[in-house]
Amino acid sequence: MTLNTLSRPLLFILLLAATLALTPALAGGHAQSQGKGGYVSLEGLQEFRGLVDLSHGEPRTVLRYLQLVAQMDDDLKAMGLERRIVVAMRGGSVRYLRRDRSPIDLADQIVAEEIARAIADLHARDIRIEACKVAMDRFEVPADGVLEEVNVVNNTFITLIGFQQQGYGMVAIP
């Protein structure tokens, strides 16, 4: 039977079987990546440089992403990697960085308190938090009224570009 005379379903099954048989070899082997949590992307790395661009304005979403940064830090630490992580906050996310939460909608004040705790946790992990003064001015957040763990910079676009030029990989969260 030649390739031209095979039925389509049979040809599909043969291709699928060949692909599955080759997958471990193509992936570089399962055992090789075990030491780094299965991440082939981390093989050979001693230091992880990550940059999170957080501009989302919904408080629960901001909180969840800050918690994911902490989880990422835990995972990387468990893998034995040195970590250098920066969270650049701009856009609506800066509304929740104020010490005085009275201007925040009453329904969001509890989440804003949780965001403050998440920021304190990240700071304790030596994760740098930068807030954009341009966004703070837009949302009427006074620079002298932000959480003490937050570093205010004039423009986080400069932060994002500068850290990428230093080899930081960026994740953008719109």
Side-chain angles (χ1 to χ4, degrees):
M1 183 180 295
T2 66
L3 190 58
N4 291 336
T5 61
L6 290 176
S7 69
R8 285 183 188 225
L10 182 58
L11 183 59
F12 175 77
I13 291 170
L14 288 172
L15 287 173
L16 181 61
T19 302
L20 291 174
L22 291 174
T23 298
L26 293 175
H30 180 70
Q32 206 174 30
S33 58
Q34 285 296 317
K36 299 289 187 206
Y39 295 98
V40 174
S41 60
L42 299 178
E43 288 180 11
L45 285 184
Q46 300 303 313
E47 180 184 68
F48 179 91
R49 293 180 181 198
L51 173 62
V52 178
D53 172 18
L54 180 53
S55 63
H56 203 285
E58 200 282 315
R60 283 177 176 60
T61 303
V62 171
L63 176 62
R64 181 65 188 131
Y65 280 111
L66 293 172
Q67 292 168 336
L68 282 171
V69 171
Q71 181 181 340
M72 174 181 67
D73 184 57
D74 287 341
D75 292 346
L76 294 166
K77 184 177 182 181
M79 291 179 224
L81 288 169
E82 292 295 319
R83 298 153 336 273
R84 297 177 98 183
I85 301 171
V86 178
V87 178
M89 298 182 72
R90 60 186 183 90
S93 70
V94 302
R95 290 183 287 186
Y96 309 104
L97 299 179
R98 44 171 86 236
R99 287 190 304 263
D100 173 17
R101 292 183 192 76
S102 61
I104 298 172
D105 290 339
L106 191 56
D108 294 332
Q109 287 185 19
I110 293 171
V111 179
E113 180 62 35
E114 292 179 60
I115 289 171
R117 284 194 296 274
I119 294 282
D121 174 55
L122 295 177
H123 178 75
R125 298 165 178 266
D126 290 325
I127 294 174
R128 183 173 178 81
I129 310 293
E130 291 195 359
C132 182
K133 178 91 168 68
V134 172
M136 290 169 53
D137 290 345
R138 179 171 177 243
F139 291 102
E140 300 177 356
V141 177
D144 62 353
V146 299
L147 301 168
E148 65 185 48
E149 299 88 355
V150 175
N151 302 288
V152 176
V153 297
N154 287 334
N155 186 330
T156 53
F157 285 178
I158 295 170
T159 295
L160 297 171
I161 294 168
F163 278 109
Q164 286 180 84
Q165 289 180 338
Q166 294 179 45
Y168 283 68
M170 187 177 82
V171 173
I173 304 166

